[in-house]
Amino acid sequence: MNSEIDLTIPETHDRIVEIVTASLESEGIDYETERWLDDKSRVDVFYDEIVLEIKSSVGVVNHDKLARYEAHPEVAEVVLVMPEPHASRVETGDYRTLTIPREKFTVTF
């Protein structure tokens, strides 16, 4: 008998960071977490001049903060990463958005 635990409500920031960093590690990509670009700008995940801004299922997109990241000389691109249902509910502007499928948050025993 399989029982399922739904971990989708809410998808936590830390869990999304774990999924993203595990994926980067599996590809052999070096990254940094909680990297300070300057005194005001700490990014969630940084690799190859790309900032990954992680949003949980209850996270709000702060466009001013993203613009500050984008203006930094070490940053080539800002990418939003959020769970599948949340991506359809928030304004992402022109930023590339990566979604984490709901299945990634569900554990089946």
Side-chain angles (χ1 to χ4, degrees):
M1 176 178 175
N2 285 341
S3 63
E4 192 174 273
I5 298 173
D6 189 357
L7 303 175
T8 58
I9 304 174
E11 296 89 351
T12 66
H13 182 273
D14 290 344
R15 179 68 181 121
I16 297 169
V17 170
E18 287 174 12
I19 291 168
V20 167
T21 56
S23 183
L24 292 170
E25 287 171 8
S26 73
E27 296 293 324
I29 298 172
D30 292 331
Y31 63 89
E32 295 176 61
T33 57
E34 299 184 355
R35 178 165 192 246
W36 287 93
L37 296 176
D38 55 40
D39 293 346
K40 297 178 184 175
S41 304
R42 186 185 79 186
V43 300
D44 295 319
V45 180
F46 185 79
Y47 77 97
D48 294 339
E49 299 181 338
I50 298 172
V51 168
L52 298 180
E53 176 69 5
I54 310 298
K55 292 287 140 202
S56 69
S57 62
V58 294
V60 175
V61 176
N62 181 335
H63 291 277
D64 292 337
K65 180 172 73 170
L66 298 179
R68 192 171 66 242
Y69 293 166
E70 215 171 21
H72 196 277
E74 293 180 50
V75 176
E77 182 180 14
V78 176
V79 178
L80 294 170
V81 181
M82 60 187 72
E84 209 166 47
H86 189 52
S88 63
R89 297 189 302 253
V90 297
E91 175 55 49
T92 58
D94 293 331
Y95 295 101
R96 184 161 56 115
T97 303
L98 302 177
T99 56
I100 308 288
R102 292 182 71 91
E103 300 81 50
K104 293 275 188 182
F105 297 95
T106 304
V107 179
T108 303
F109 296 99

